[in-house]
Amino acid sequence: MTAPIETTRADAQPETVLEGAGRKEIEGRSLGRIAWTRFKRDKAAMAGGIVVVLLILTAMLSKPLQSLLGLDPNAFNQSLVDPVMLAPKGALGGISWDHPLGVEPQTGRDILARILEGSWVSLVVAVGSTLLSVVIGVVMGVVAGFYGGWVDGFISRLMDTFLAFPLLLFAISISASLQGNAFGLEGLTLRIAVLIFVIGFFSWPYIGRIVRAQTLSLREREFVEAARSLGARGPFILFRELLPNLIAPILVYATLLIPTNILFEASLSFLGVGIAPPQASWGGMLTQAVDLYEVDPMFMVIPGMAIFITVLAFNLLGDGLRDALDPRGK
């Protein structure tokens, strides 16, 4: 007697069921979301990013913060300074509830107010010069790497020429010669414009070389050949195919270039050819502190720490972005 044959129902479960398959749908993730996930895992980069955001907000809200706290970066408070020793009265450079970071020796100006006032100057110069160098460097690097031949040779020699300039001496001579009125600008606006031009215009070969090397690699890829086979011309390939694939290295290098430019602006102000007093700047505060550090060491420590924290935060952010956007280069 034969055994009955079991019929298969349409709603019967398969023999093998993946455990947890119906609990959560599988969700695709974009490249940006994957990079963000990697970035969040880097605690140092996240801390650097938070500090950078706070610094940018502080610089943007510098004037309102000074008004809210009742601070004036150029107000003299001689009553807070010892008339004989010229040192601030009180411990640690005159730190008090009214002056959380103390006051300057000799003048008694509030250091917190001058740190806030100098923050927007340093960031405007650093970000502006970085944008200028990135724009020039990306255009030159992409054109040189894509077209090659005599175009590549000419731009490469131009990069070598710019890199051969003694940038610091050149910046000092230009900044010192452009005083008073020039190009319809004067005062602080002229100083900031000159610093942005000098730092940005002579720094573009560094990012230009990076972009050129990346372009030389990308132009041989399949998607570029496919675009050519469909009749795409040079400008279309440059702006629609190559540039989107260069966003990651450009963003990373720009983030790492900003702290370098902050230090450069501080160096020029320290040498007396940057931001002129009475406008506050971190480099200018260090210049004044050189002659007064024996009287009040805190006057040198506070602006130095402001520069140190800013540069460190941008470097941590840049390293984190590099690891998140290009994990193979880690």
Side-chain angles (χ1 to χ4, degrees), residues 129-145 155 159 162-163 199-216 243 246-258 261:
S129 56
T130 299
L131 289 176
L132 179 60
S133 60
V134 165
V135 170
I136 300 175
V138 168
V139 172
M140 290 294 191
V142 168
V143 171
I155 295 178
M159 292 180 185
F162 272 84
L163 291 174
I199 299 174
F201 186 72
F202 290 96
S203 300
W204 69 264
Y206 297 100
I207 190 171
R209 283 188 164 184
I210 294 175
V211 172
R212 173 185 173 273
Q214 294 287 331
T215 305
L216 286 173
L243 278 181
L246 293 171
I247 294 298
I250 292 172
L251 179 62
V252 170
Y253 188 80
T255 308
L256 295 174
L257 188 60
I258 288 176
N261 291 340

mmCIF file of all heavy atoms in Angstrom, residues 129-145 155 159 162-163 199-216 243 246-258 261:
data_model
loop_
_atom_site.group_PDB
_atom_site.id
_atom_site.type_symbol
_atom_site.label_atom_id
_atom_site.label_comp_id
_atom_site.label_asym_id
_atom_site.label_seq_id
_atom_site.Cartn_x
_atom_site.Cartn_y
_atom_site.Cartn_z
ATOM 1 N N SER A 129 41.393 82.962 1.707
ATOM 2 C CA SER A 129 42.596 82.568 0.974
ATOM 3 C C SER A 129 42.530 81.107 0.546
ATOM 4 O O SER A 129 43.022 80.747 -0.533
ATOM 5 C CB SER A 129 43.838 82.809 1.843
ATOM 6 O OG SER A 129 43.734 82.116 3.079
ATOM 7 N N THR A 130 41.909 80.253 1.370
ATOM 8 C CA THR A 130 41.752 78.851 0.989
ATOM 9 C C THR A 130 40.844 78.709 -0.224
ATOM 10 O O THR A 130 41.146 77.946 -1.155
ATOM 11 C CB THR A 130 41.189 78.046 2.167
ATOM 12 O OG1 THR A 130 42.100 78.109 3.271
ATOM 13 C CG2 THR A 130 40.985 76.587 1.771
ATOM 14 N N LEU A 131 39.726 79.428 -0.240
ATOM 15 C CA LEU A 131 38.824 79.377 -1.393
ATOM 16 C C LEU A 131 39.526 79.854 -2.658
ATOM 17 O O LEU A 131 39.365 79.250 -3.736
ATOM 18 C CB LEU A 131 37.587 80.226 -1.126
ATOM 19 C CG LEU A 131 36.595 79.689 -0.102
ATOM 20 C CD1 LEU A 131 35.467 80.684 0.128
ATOM 21 C CD2 LEU A 131 36.028 78.346 -0.545
ATOM 22 N N LEU A 132 40.319 80.922 -2.551
ATOM 23 C CA LEU A 132 41.028 81.432 -3.729
ATOM 24 C C LEU A 132 42.027 80.408 -4.248
ATOM 25 O O LEU A 132 42.083 80.135 -5.464
ATOM 26 C CB LEU A 132 41.742 82.735 -3.368
ATOM 27 C CG LEU A 132 42.560 83.392 -4.490
ATOM 28 C CD1 LEU A 132 41.677 83.735 -5.680
ATOM 29 C CD2 LEU A 132 43.279 84.632 -3.968
ATOM 30 N N SER A 133 42.820 79.820 -3.370
ATOM 31 C CA SER A 133 43.812 78.837 -3.808
ATOM 32 C C SER A 133 43.150 77.572 -4.335
ATOM 33 O O SER A 133 43.645 76.956 -5.295
ATOM 34 C CB SER A 133 44.757 78.493 -2.651
ATOM 35 O OG SER A 133 44.040 77.945 -1.566
ATOM 36 N N VAL A 134 42.008 77.165 -3.752
ATOM 37 C CA VAL A 134 41.311 75.969 -4.219
ATOM 38 C C VAL A 134 40.751 76.191 -5.616
ATOM 39 O O VAL A 134 40.874 75.319 -6.497
ATOM 40 C CB VAL A 134 40.200 75.571 -3.232
ATOM 41 C CG1 VAL A 134 39.245 74.567 -3.870
ATOM 42 C CG2 VAL A 134 40.800 74.972 -1.971
ATOM 43 N N VAL A 135 40.138 77.350 -5.859
ATOM 44 C CA VAL A 135 39.573 77.627 -7.184
ATOM 45 C C VAL A 135 40.660 77.629 -8.251
ATOM 46 O O VAL A 135 40.542 76.961 -9.290
ATOM 47 C CB VAL A 135 38.815 78.977 -7.165
ATOM 48 C CG1 VAL A 135 38.436 79.384 -8.583
ATOM 49 C CG2 VAL A 135 37.566 78.873 -6.306
ATOM 50 N N ILE A 136 41.741 78.351 -8.007
ATOM 51 C CA ILE A 136 42.824 78.412 -8.999
ATOM 52 C C ILE A 136 43.475 77.043 -9.160
ATOM 53 O O ILE A 136 43.730 76.574 -10.280
ATOM 54 C CB ILE A 136 43.864 79.472 -8.592
ATOM 55 C CG1 ILE A 136 43.218 80.855 -8.510
ATOM 56 C CG2 ILE A 136 45.013 79.497 -9.600
ATOM 57 C CD1 ILE A 136 44.147 81.934 -8.008
ATOM 58 N N GLY A 137 43.774 76.380 -8.036
ATOM 59 C CA GLY A 137 44.456 75.095 -8.106
ATOM 60 C C GLY A 137 43.632 74.021 -8.775
ATOM 61 O O GLY A 137 44.165 73.220 -9.560
ATOM 62 N N VAL A 138 42.320 73.987 -8.517
ATOM 63 C CA VAL A 138 41.465 72.971 -9.134
ATOM 64 C C VAL A 138 41.369 73.197 -10.638
ATOM 65 O O VAL A 138 41.485 72.252 -11.427
ATOM 66 C CB VAL A 138 40.074 72.981 -8.487
ATOM 67 C CG1 VAL A 138 39.086 72.155 -9.297
ATOM 68 C CG2 VAL A 138 40.145 72.442 -7.063
ATOM 69 N N VAL A 139 41.159 74.437 -11.057
ATOM 70 C CA VAL A 139 41.055 74.723 -12.494
ATOM 71 C C VAL A 139 42.356 74.355 -13.199
ATOM 72 O O VAL A 139 42.355 73.667 -14.239
ATOM 73 C CB VAL A 139 40.709 76.203 -12.716
ATOM 74 C CG1 VAL A 139 40.802 76.559 -14.198
ATOM 75 C CG2 VAL A 139 39.310 76.506 -12.208
ATOM 76 N N MET A 140 43.478 74.802 -12.670
ATOM 77 C CA MET A 140 44.764 74.521 -13.299
ATOM 78 C C MET A 140 45.081 73.033 -13.277
ATOM 79 O O MET A 140 45.562 72.462 -14.277
ATOM 80 C CB MET A 140 45.874 75.305 -12.584
ATOM 81 C CG MET A 140 45.820 76.795 -12.799
ATOM 82 S SD MET A 140 46.146 77.237 -14.519
ATOM 83 C CE MET A 140 46.343 79.007 -14.384
ATOM 84 N N GLY A 141 44.825 72.363 -12.157
ATOM 85 C CA GLY A 141 45.140 70.946 -12.047
ATOM 86 C C GLY A 141 44.299 70.082 -12.960
ATOM 87 O O GLY A 141 44.809 69.154 -13.602
ATOM 88 N N VAL A 142 42.992 70.372 -13.061
ATOM 89 C CA VAL A 142 42.116 69.595 -13.933
ATOM 90 C C VAL A 142 42.489 69.788 -15.392
ATOM 91 O O VAL A 142 42.559 68.823 -16.168
ATOM 92 C CB VAL A 142 40.644 69.976 -13.680
ATOM 93 C CG1 VAL A 142 39.747 69.412 -14.759
ATOM 94 C CG2 VAL A 142 40.197 69.465 -12.323
ATOM 95 N N VAL A 143 42.725 71.021 -15.789
ATOM 96 C CA VAL A 143 43.086 71.299 -17.188
ATOM 97 C C VAL A 143 44.408 70.623 -17.543
ATOM 98 O O VAL A 143 44.541 69.993 -18.606
ATOM 99 C CB VAL A 143 43.154 72.812 -17.424
ATOM 100 C CG1 VAL A 143 43.749 73.127 -18.803
ATOM 101 C CG2 VAL A 143 41.773 73.430 -17.306
ATOM 102 N N ALA A 144 45.404 70.724 -16.658
ATOM 103 C CA ALA A 144 46.700 70.111 -16.935
ATOM 104 C C ALA A 144 46.599 68.598 -17.018
ATOM 105 O O ALA A 144 47.172 67.970 -17.917
ATOM 106 C CB ALA A 144 47.702 70.514 -15.852
ATOM 107 N N GLY A 145 45.878 67.991 -16.087
ATOM 108 C CA GLY A 145 45.787 66.537 -16.078
ATOM 109 C C GLY A 145 44.936 65.975 -17.200
ATOM 110 O O GLY A 145 45.228 64.880 -17.703
ATOM 111 N N ILE A 155 51.589 74.362 -17.531
ATOM 112 C CA ILE A 155 51.031 74.566 -16.194
ATOM 113 C C ILE A 155 51.950 73.974 -15.130
ATOM 114 O O ILE A 155 52.109 74.547 -14.041
ATOM 115 C CB ILE A 155 49.617 73.964 -16.111
ATOM 116 C CG1 ILE A 155 48.670 74.727 -17.046
ATOM 117 C CG2 ILE A 155 49.093 74.009 -14.682
ATOM 118 C CD1 ILE A 155 47.256 74.185 -17.072
ATOM 119 N N MET A 159 53.568 75.959 -12.025
ATOM 120 C CA MET A 159 53.509 75.551 -10.619
ATOM 121 C C MET A 159 54.900 75.570 -9.995
ATOM 122 O O MET A 159 55.085 76.042 -8.863
ATOM 123 C CB MET A 159 52.908 74.147 -10.507
ATOM 124 C CG MET A 159 51.445 74.048 -10.874
ATOM 125 S SD MET A 159 50.843 72.331 -10.704
ATOM 126 C CE MET A 159 49.180 72.489 -11.331
ATOM 127 N N PHE A 162 55.918 79.157 -9.173
ATOM 128 C CA PHE A 162 55.275 79.705 -7.982
ATOM 129 C C PHE A 162 55.841 79.074 -6.713
ATOM 130 O O PHE A 162 56.003 79.744 -5.693
ATOM 131 C CB PHE A 162 53.763 79.482 -8.049
ATOM 132 C CG PHE A 162 53.019 80.581 -8.744
ATOM 133 C CD1 PHE A 162 52.901 80.587 -10.130
ATOM 134 C CD2 PHE A 162 52.454 81.619 -8.033
ATOM 135 C CE1 PHE A 162 52.216 81.595 -10.779
ATOM 136 C CE2 PHE A 162 51.770 82.634 -8.677
ATOM 137 C CZ PHE A 162 51.650 82.631 -10.058
ATOM 138 N N LEU A 163 56.131 77.775 -6.770
ATOM 139 C CA LEU A 163 56.680 77.103 -5.590
ATOM 140 C C LEU A 163 58.096 77.575 -5.266
ATOM 141 O O LEU A 163 58.558 77.435 -4.134
ATOM 142 C CB LEU A 163 56.677 75.588 -5.812
ATOM 143 C CG LEU A 163 55.300 74.921 -5.838
ATOM 144 C CD1 LEU A 163 55.412 73.456 -6.212
ATOM 145 C CD2 LEU A 163 54.597 75.070 -4.500
ATOM 146 N N ILE A 199 48.165 85.176 0.372
ATOM 147 C CA ILE A 199 48.215 83.798 0.855
ATOM 148 C C ILE A 199 47.577 82.849 -0.151
ATOM 149 O O ILE A 199 48.100 81.771 -0.436
ATOM 150 C CB ILE A 199 47.519 83.693 2.225
ATOM 151 C CG1 ILE A 199 48.229 84.564 3.255
ATOM 152 C CG2 ILE A 199 47.498 82.245 2.699
ATOM 153 C CD1 ILE A 199 47.526 84.626 4.605
ATOM 154 N N GLY A 200 46.418 83.229 -0.697
ATOM 155 C CA GLY A 200 45.709 82.337 -1.609
ATOM 156 C C GLY A 200 46.358 82.215 -2.964
ATOM 157 O O GLY A 200 46.461 81.109 -3.527
ATOM 158 N N PHE A 201 46.834 83.326 -3.526
ATOM 159 C CA PHE A 201 47.365 83.308 -4.885
ATOM 160 C C PHE A 201 48.672 82.530 -4.985
ATOM 161 O O PHE A 201 48.950 81.922 -6.023
ATOM 162 C CB PHE A 201 47.574 84.742 -5.373
ATOM 163 C CG PHE A 201 47.990 84.834 -6.816
ATOM 164 C CD1 PHE A 201 47.084 84.555 -7.828
ATOM 165 C CD2 PHE A 201 49.279 85.187 -7.162
ATOM 166 C CE1 PHE A 201 47.462 84.630 -9.162
ATOM 167 C CE2 PHE A 201 49.661 85.269 -8.486
ATOM 168 C CZ PHE A 201 48.756 84.989 -9.489
ATOM 169 N N PHE A 202 49.453 82.535 -3.928
ATOM 170 C CA PHE A 202 50.739 81.847 -3.984
ATOM 171 C C PHE A 202 50.693 80.457 -3.357
ATOM 172 O O PHE A 202 51.736 79.801 -3.247
ATOM 173 C CB PHE A 202 51.823 82.691 -3.302
ATOM 174 C CG PHE A 202 52.178 83.921 -4.064
ATOM 175 C CD1 PHE A 202 51.599 85.133 -3.763
ATOM 176 C CD2 PHE A 202 53.080 83.872 -5.111
ATOM 177 C CE1 PHE A 202 51.914 86.285 -4.466
ATOM 178 C CE2 PHE A 202 53.411 85.011 -5.835
ATOM 179 C CZ PHE A 202 52.821 86.228 -5.508
ATOM 180 N N SER A 203 49.508 79.984 -2.961
ATOM 181 C CA SER A 203 49.388 78.647 -2.374
ATOM 182 C C SER A 203 48.692 77.663 -3.298
ATOM 183 O O SER A 203 48.617 76.475 -2.969
ATOM 184 C CB SER A 203 48.616 78.725 -1.045
ATOM 185 O OG SER A 203 49.276 79.549 -0.114
ATOM 186 N N TRP A 204 48.175 78.115 -4.437
ATOM 187 C CA TRP A 204 47.401 77.218 -5.293
ATOM 188 C C TRP A 204 48.205 76.071 -5.896
ATOM 189 O O TRP A 204 47.616 75.018 -6.186
ATOM 190 C CB TRP A 204 46.699 78.012 -6.407
ATOM 191 C CG TRP A 204 47.611 78.596 -7.449
ATOM 192 C CD1 TRP A 204 48.110 79.854 -7.488
ATOM 193 C CD2 TRP A 204 48.106 77.942 -8.624
ATOM 194 N NE1 TRP A 204 48.895 80.031 -8.593
ATOM 195 C CE2 TRP A 204 48.905 78.872 -9.311
ATOM 196 C CE3 TRP A 204 47.949 76.660 -9.154
ATOM 197 C CZ2 TRP A 204 49.558 78.559 -10.497
ATOM 198 C CZ3 TRP A 204 48.597 76.348 -10.338
ATOM 199 C CH2 TRP A 204 49.384 77.287 -10.995
ATOM 200 N N PRO A 205 49.532 76.184 -6.137
ATOM 201 C CA PRO A 205 50.228 75.034 -6.748
ATOM 202 C C PRO A 205 50.172 73.757 -5.920
ATOM 203 O O PRO A 205 50.245 72.657 -6.482
ATOM 204 C CB PRO A 205 51.665 75.528 -6.887
ATOM 205 C CG PRO A 205 51.553 77.007 -6.973
ATOM 206 C CD PRO A 205 50.431 77.352 -6.047
ATOM 207 N N TYR A 206 50.028 73.867 -4.596
ATOM 208 C CA TYR A 206 49.996 72.657 -3.771
ATOM 209 C C TYR A 206 48.764 71.814 -4.082
ATOM 210 O O TYR A 206 48.867 70.607 -4.330
ATOM 211 C CB TYR A 206 50.021 73.048 -2.290
ATOM 212 C CG TYR A 206 51.280 73.776 -1.876
ATOM 213 C CD1 TYR A 206 51.293 75.160 -1.750
ATOM 214 C CD2 TYR A 206 52.458 73.080 -1.627
ATOM 215 C CE1 TYR A 206 52.447 75.831 -1.379
ATOM 216 C CE2 TYR A 206 53.617 73.736 -1.250
ATOM 217 C CZ TYR A 206 53.606 75.119 -1.128
ATOM 218 O OH TYR A 206 54.745 75.782 -0.772
ATOM 219 N N ILE A 207 47.600 72.442 -4.076
ATOM 220 C CA ILE A 207 46.389 71.688 -4.412
ATOM 221 C C ILE A 207 46.332 71.416 -5.905
ATOM 222 O O ILE A 207 45.750 70.422 -6.346
ATOM 223 C CB ILE A 207 45.128 72.441 -3.939
ATOM 224 C CG1 ILE A 207 43.904 71.539 -4.083
ATOM 225 C CG2 ILE A 207 44.928 73.748 -4.713
ATOM 226 C CD1 ILE A 207 42.663 72.101 -3.446
ATOM 227 N N GLY A 208 46.963 72.283 -6.724
ATOM 228 C CA GLY A 208 46.991 72.038 -8.161
ATOM 229 C C GLY A 208 47.698 70.738 -8.505
ATOM 230 O O GLY A 208 47.246 69.991 -9.390
ATOM 231 N N ARG A 209 48.777 70.436 -7.819
ATOM 232 C CA ARG A 209 49.507 69.190 -8.078
ATOM 233 C C ARG A 209 48.686 67.970 -7.667
ATOM 234 O O ARG A 209 48.686 66.941 -8.353
ATOM 235 C CB ARG A 209 50.832 69.206 -7.320
ATOM 236 C CG ARG A 209 51.901 70.079 -7.964
ATOM 237 C CD ARG A 209 53.226 69.903 -7.286
ATOM 238 N NE ARG A 209 54.328 70.415 -8.107
ATOM 239 C CZ ARG A 209 55.606 70.307 -7.780
ATOM 240 N NH1 ARG A 209 55.948 69.689 -6.649
ATOM 241 N NH2 ARG A 209 56.544 70.786 -8.574
ATOM 242 N N ILE A 210 47.980 68.074 -6.536
ATOM 243 C CA ILE A 210 47.152 66.955 -6.088
ATOM 244 C C ILE A 210 46.033 66.684 -7.084
ATOM 245 O O ILE A 210 45.768 65.535 -7.471
ATOM 246 C CB ILE A 210 46.590 67.251 -4.686
ATOM 247 C CG1 ILE A 210 47.733 67.303 -3.669
ATOM 248 C CG2 ILE A 210 45.556 66.207 -4.280
ATOM 249 C CD1 ILE A 210 47.298 67.719 -2.278
ATOM 250 N N VAL A 211 45.347 67.751 -7.528
ATOM 251 C CA VAL A 211 44.240 67.585 -8.472
ATOM 252 C C VAL A 211 44.754 67.076 -9.808
ATOM 253 O O VAL A 211 44.108 66.233 -10.457
ATOM 254 C CB VAL A 211 43.500 68.924 -8.637
ATOM 255 C CG1 VAL A 211 42.465 68.836 -9.747
ATOM 256 C CG2 VAL A 211 42.822 69.306 -7.324
ATOM 257 N N ARG A 212 45.904 67.548 -10.242
ATOM 258 C CA ARG A 212 46.476 67.071 -11.519
ATOM 259 C C ARG A 212 46.741 65.575 -11.458
ATOM 260 O O ARG A 212 46.426 64.828 -12.407
ATOM 261 C CB ARG A 212 47.766 67.819 -11.820
ATOM 262 C CG ARG A 212 48.536 67.283 -13.027
ATOM 263 C CD ARG A 212 49.872 67.992 -13.200
ATOM 264 N NE ARG A 212 50.649 67.362 -14.255
ATOM 265 C CZ ARG A 212 51.465 66.332 -14.075
ATOM 266 N NH1 ARG A 212 51.579 65.791 -12.857
ATOM 267 N NH2 ARG A 212 52.143 65.813 -15.088
ATOM 268 N N ALA A 213 47.332 65.105 -10.346
ATOM 269 C CA ALA A 213 47.628 63.678 -10.219
ATOM 270 C C ALA A 213 46.343 62.843 -10.203
ATOM 271 O O ALA A 213 46.276 61.784 -10.836
ATOM 272 C CB ALA A 213 48.439 63.427 -8.949
ATOM 273 N N GLN A 214 45.327 63.315 -9.520
ATOM 274 C CA GLN A 214 44.057 62.593 -9.497
ATOM 275 C C GLN A 214 43.398 62.579 -10.878
ATOM 276 O O GLN A 214 42.804 61.578 -11.291
ATOM 277 C CB GLN A 214 43.115 63.245 -8.480
ATOM 278 C CG GLN A 214 43.566 63.126 -7.038
ATOM 279 C CD GLN A 214 43.408 61.723 -6.492
ATOM 280 O OE1 GLN A 214 42.538 60.978 -6.916
ATOM 281 N NE2 GLN A 214 44.257 61.355 -5.543
ATOM 282 N N THR A 215 43.508 63.690 -11.597
ATOM 283 C CA THR A 215 42.902 63.775 -12.932
ATOM 284 C C THR A 215 43.596 62.846 -13.909
ATOM 285 O O THR A 215 42.941 62.223 -14.764
ATOM 286 C CB THR A 215 42.956 65.225 -13.449
ATOM 287 O OG1 THR A 215 42.340 66.093 -12.484
ATOM 288 C CG2 THR A 215 42.232 65.361 -14.775
ATOM 289 N N LEU A 216 44.909 62.736 -13.823
ATOM 290 C CA LEU A 216 45.646 61.818 -14.699
ATOM 291 C C LEU A 216 45.158 60.376 -14.521
ATOM 292 O O LEU A 216 45.109 59.606 -15.484
ATOM 293 C CB LEU A 216 47.141 61.905 -14.395
ATOM 294 C CG LEU A 216 47.868 63.162 -14.883
ATOM 295 C CD1 LEU A 216 49.302 63.186 -14.369
ATOM 296 C CD2 LEU A 216 47.860 63.226 -16.400
ATOM 297 N N LEU A 243 35.094 66.449 -12.237
ATOM 298 C CA LEU A 243 34.988 67.255 -11.019
ATOM 299 C C LEU A 243 34.173 66.578 -9.907
ATOM 300 O O LEU A 243 34.584 66.633 -8.736
ATOM 301 C CB LEU A 243 34.416 68.633 -11.342
ATOM 302 C CG LEU A 243 35.416 69.666 -11.873
ATOM 303 C CD1 LEU A 243 34.729 70.992 -12.138
ATOM 304 C CD2 LEU A 243 36.556 69.863 -10.874
ATOM 305 N N LEU A 246 36.297 64.418 -7.928
ATOM 306 C CA LEU A 246 37.414 65.068 -7.256
ATOM 307 C C LEU A 246 36.974 65.815 -6.004
ATOM 308 O O LEU A 246 37.804 66.429 -5.335
ATOM 309 C CB LEU A 246 38.103 66.053 -8.211
ATOM 310 C CG LEU A 246 38.835 65.437 -9.405
ATOM 311 C CD1 LEU A 246 39.268 66.535 -10.377
ATOM 312 C CD2 LEU A 246 40.048 64.643 -8.936
ATOM 313 N N ILE A 247 35.673 65.771 -5.699
ATOM 314 C CA ILE A 247 35.163 66.522 -4.553
ATOM 315 C C ILE A 247 35.825 66.072 -3.254
ATOM 316 O O ILE A 247 36.192 66.909 -2.414
ATOM 317 C CB ILE A 247 33.634 66.368 -4.450
ATOM 318 C CG1 ILE A 247 32.961 67.043 -5.650
ATOM 319 C CG2 ILE A 247 33.122 66.964 -3.162
ATOM 320 C CD1 ILE A 247 33.198 68.520 -5.733
ATOM 321 N N ALA A 248 35.979 64.766 -3.085
ATOM 322 C CA ALA A 248 36.529 64.247 -1.822
ATOM 323 C C ALA A 248 37.950 64.752 -1.561
ATOM 324 O O ALA A 248 38.212 65.335 -0.495
ATOM 325 C CB ALA A 248 36.476 62.726 -1.817
ATOM 326 N N PRO A 249 38.920 64.566 -2.480
ATOM 327 C CA PRO A 249 40.266 65.081 -2.191
ATOM 328 C C PRO A 249 40.321 66.594 -2.070
ATOM 329 O O PRO A 249 41.109 67.131 -1.285
ATOM 330 C CB PRO A 249 41.102 64.580 -3.371
ATOM 331 C CG PRO A 249 40.133 64.255 -4.441
ATOM 332 C CD PRO A 249 38.896 63.816 -3.743
ATOM 333 N N ILE A 250 39.484 67.306 -2.843
ATOM 334 C CA ILE A 250 39.468 68.768 -2.745
ATOM 335 C C ILE A 250 38.976 69.198 -1.370
ATOM 336 O O ILE A 250 39.561 70.085 -0.725
ATOM 337 C CB ILE A 250 38.588 69.370 -3.857
ATOM 338 C CG1 ILE A 250 39.232 69.143 -5.220
ATOM 339 C CG2 ILE A 250 38.363 70.857 -3.624
ATOM 340 C CD1 ILE A 250 38.336 69.534 -6.381
ATOM 341 N N LEU A 251 37.906 68.577 -0.896
ATOM 342 C CA LEU A 251 37.351 68.920 0.414
ATOM 343 C C LEU A 251 38.345 68.626 1.528
ATOM 344 O O LEU A 251 38.525 69.439 2.452
ATOM 345 C CB LEU A 251 36.053 68.143 0.638
ATOM 346 C CG LEU A 251 35.339 68.368 1.970
ATOM 347 C CD1 LEU A 251 34.912 69.820 2.112
ATOM 348 C CD2 LEU A 251 34.130 67.456 2.098
ATOM 349 N N VAL A 252 39.003 67.485 1.449
ATOM 350 C CA VAL A 252 39.964 67.114 2.489
ATOM 351 C C VAL A 252 41.139 68.075 2.502
ATOM 352 O O VAL A 252 41.543 68.582 3.563
ATOM 353 C CB VAL A 252 40.449 65.668 2.268
ATOM 354 C CG1 VAL A 252 41.621 65.352 3.187
ATOM 355 C CG2 VAL A 252 39.316 64.685 2.508
ATOM 356 N N TYR A 253 41.680 68.380 1.326
ATOM 357 C CA TYR A 253 42.847 69.267 1.291
ATOM 358 C C TYR A 253 42.475 70.681 1.726
ATOM 359 O O TYR A 253 43.268 71.343 2.399
ATOM 360 C CB TYR A 253 43.449 69.297 -0.118
ATOM 361 C CG TYR A 253 44.762 70.042 -0.160
ATOM 362 C CD1 TYR A 253 45.941 69.418 0.242
ATOM 363 C CD2 TYR A 253 44.831 71.365 -0.558
ATOM 364 C CE1 TYR A 253 47.151 70.100 0.229
ATOM 365 C CE2 TYR A 253 46.027 72.048 -0.586
ATOM 366 C CZ TYR A 253 47.185 71.403 -0.190
ATOM 367 O OH TYR A 253 48.370 72.097 -0.196
ATOM 368 N N ALA A 254 41.292 71.160 1.349
ATOM 369 C CA ALA A 254 40.865 72.491 1.770
ATOM 370 C C ALA A 254 40.753 72.565 3.290
ATOM 371 O O ALA A 254 41.137 73.571 3.911
ATOM 372 C CB ALA A 254 39.536 72.842 1.114
ATOM 373 N N THR A 255 40.230 71.500 3.908
ATOM 374 C CA THR A 255 40.106 71.475 5.362
ATOM 375 C C THR A 255 41.470 71.507 6.036
ATOM 376 O O THR A 255 41.642 72.139 7.093
ATOM 377 C CB THR A 255 39.334 70.226 5.809
ATOM 378 O OG1 THR A 255 38.103 70.148 5.078
ATOM 379 C CG2 THR A 255 39.019 70.280 7.291
ATOM 380 N N LEU A 256 42.448 70.841 5.435
ATOM 381 C CA LEU A 256 43.797 70.843 5.999
ATOM 382 C C LEU A 256 44.561 72.128 5.676
ATOM 383 O O LEU A 256 45.519 72.470 6.367
ATOM 384 C CB LEU A 256 44.584 69.639 5.462
ATOM 385 C CG LEU A 256 44.062 68.264 5.889
ATOM 386 C CD1 LEU A 256 44.828 67.158 5.176
ATOM 387 C CD2 LEU A 256 44.162 68.085 7.403
ATOM 388 N N LEU A 257 44.128 72.847 4.643
ATOM 389 C CA LEU A 257 44.815 74.084 4.259
ATOM 390 C C LEU A 257 44.396 75.262 5.133
ATOM 391 O O LEU A 257 45.188 76.193 5.337
ATOM 392 C CB LEU A 257 44.529 74.388 2.784
ATOM 393 C CG LEU A 257 45.301 75.544 2.134
ATOM 394 C CD1 LEU A 257 46.797 75.285 2.187
ATOM 395 C CD2 LEU A 257 44.846 75.737 0.697
ATOM 396 N N ILE A 258 43.176 75.241 5.649
ATOM 397 C CA ILE A 258 42.686 76.354 6.470
ATOM 398 C C ILE A 258 43.572 76.586 7.698
ATOM 399 O O ILE A 258 43.964 77.739 7.962
ATOM 400 C CB ILE A 258 41.226 76.111 6.871
ATOM 401 C CG1 ILE A 258 40.316 76.281 5.654
ATOM 402 C CG2 ILE A 258 40.797 77.081 7.971
ATOM 403 C CD1 ILE A 258 38.856 75.975 5.915
ATOM 404 N N ASN A 261 46.758 78.345 6.741
ATOM 405 C CA ASN A 261 46.565 79.763 6.447
ATOM 406 C C ASN A 261 46.315 80.579 7.710
ATOM 407 O O ASN A 261 46.677 81.763 7.771
ATOM 408 C CB ASN A 261 45.408 79.931 5.458
ATOM 409 C CG ASN A 261 45.755 79.393 4.081
ATOM 410 O OD1 ASN A 261 46.915 79.233 3.732
ATOM 411 N ND2 ASN A 261 44.745 79.092 3.294
#
